Amino acid sequence: MASKEIDRADKTYLSFVREIKDRVVSARISAARAINRELINLYWDIGKAIVEQQNKHRWGNAVVEMLSKDLQAEFPSVTGFSPRNLWDMKRFYETYVSAPPILRQLVAELPWGHNILILQQVAEEPARRYYMEAAAKFGWSRNVRLNQIKAKAYERALLEKKTHNFPSVLPAYLAEQADEALKSSYNLEFLGISHEVKERELENRLIERLRDFILELGYGFCFVGRQYRLAIGQNDYFVDLLFYHRFLKALVAIELKIGEFEPEYAGKMDFYLNLLNDKEKAPDDNPSIGIILCAKKDDMVVEFSLRTKTNPIGVPEYHLTKRLPREFKGKLPTEKELRSALLNESDTEK
């Protein structure tokens, strides 16, 4: 049987190459994970040995410095045996030796630098588990994880209710992932806005600080475009901001609203998502997701507005300035009262 020429653009060949590439990437990831698990197990064993030998022989802290020098002398080309790192190994073992099995499992999946970051920045065990699971699920980098910890993502997840219709319109596994990717509120303090602005100005500021906005959205969001054009018949429609989420494998449309959520916003977003699914979604993508980012919302109004919608839509709030603690609300002077007091004081001094 005679062989035939292969066209690089041939769909069968392209599919074949993609399968091989995926297999190579998968093998490399598996190898990296296996190496990481071995390293974490080694550091665990070293930390355990230090604790046990100190307890057994009543050695003081000097043993860590001595062990560090001896290991570095024996393995000069191997990094990771500094006194500080040995102290971290000891602390690592002491922290997790009595932890639940699930937590022990999670630490073995994380790089050493990530584990140390969590040890240093997060004190509560439930919070540690939250950041570990989120990192494993969404592939957070160390910087993204640090940003999430500083933004108190765990505390916000506990205190604030998310409003969306994901469970009723998405498969269970995807609804759970989408819920994890969506926050109940977004902190936009980095925009430096202290006065009321129009929606287009808010959009412009977000584009100017796109990197900060993506960090606040969370790991996995990739920017596609602003005022993204969707055409149907003789009409053009524009989505404020369009993203693609790498792990959800879905387009994410974001509409910005400077006021309180209105029911008609849900209908408009549902329409946009229908267009995205019909005209932009790739064959192997999941259904497109909508986020209506509002300054304020009534959860009951949102719930009723989303009840009949067939596309996944979430309605979080955003905050431009630091939120005032509940116990201080109504107890501090308004801007007008402060100005009046300052003017009166100025007049008195004259």
Side-chain angles (χ1 to χ4, degrees), residues 153-308:
Y154 171 71
E155 289 82 357
R156 287 159 64 180
L158 284 181
L159 295 173
E160 299 172 328
K161 179 185 174 186
K162 297 179 184 180
T163 45
H164 57 65
N165 63 346
F166 298 163
S168 62
V169 297
L170 291 173
Y173 76 95
L174 188 57
E176 183 182 347
Q177 291 181 32
D179 176 79
E180 288 285 350
L182 178 73
K183 295 180 182 178
S184 56
S185 66
Y186 291 86
N187 183 353
L188 305 185
E189 288 178 42
F190 59 84
L191 295 179
I193 297 175
S194 57
H195 58 282
E196 189 174 325
V197 296
K198 294 182 179 179
E199 285 167 7
R200 184 54 62 89
E201 183 181 347
L202 180 60
E203 180 185 319
N204 289 339
R205 293 284 191 98
L206 287 173
I207 294 298
E208 289 171 5
R209 301 290 298 274
L210 188 58
R211 178 181 174 278
D212 295 308
F213 184 43
I214 289 176
L215 282 174
E216 177 61 16
L217 287 174
Y219 193 64
F221 281 87
C222 304
F223 183 62
V224 177
R226 65 181 296 191
Q227 292 301 308
Y228 194 87
R229 179 175 170 270
L230 297 170
I232 181 171
Q234 302 298 314
N235 300 309
D236 290 334
Y237 299 92
F238 299 88
V239 176
D240 286 347
L241 300 170
L242 186 64
F243 291 83
Y244 184 82
H245 199 285
R246 291 170 51 203
F247 303 105
L248 295 176
K249 295 190 180 301
L251 290 164
V252 180
I254 297 181
E255 283 289 288
L256 304 170
K257 301 298 177 184
I258 58 171
E260 188 167 2
F261 173 83
E262 298 289 345
E264 55 264 32
Y265 297 162
K268 187 178 180 183
M269 177 59 81
D270 202 44
F271 172 71
Y272 285 166
L273 295 175
N274 284 333
L275 289 179
L276 283 170
N277 287 333
D278 184 70
K279 297 178 176 296
E280 302 293 334
K281 184 173 83 69
D284 56 345
D285 279 348
N286 287 313
S288 302
I289 295 170
I291 295 177
I292 304 171
L293 197 52
C294 299
K296 190 179 177 184
K297 64 177 178 179
D298 182 305
D299 289 345
M300 192 67 73
V301 172
V302 173
E303 182 183 334
F304 274 84
S305 301
L306 299 182
R307 188 169 289 182
T308 59

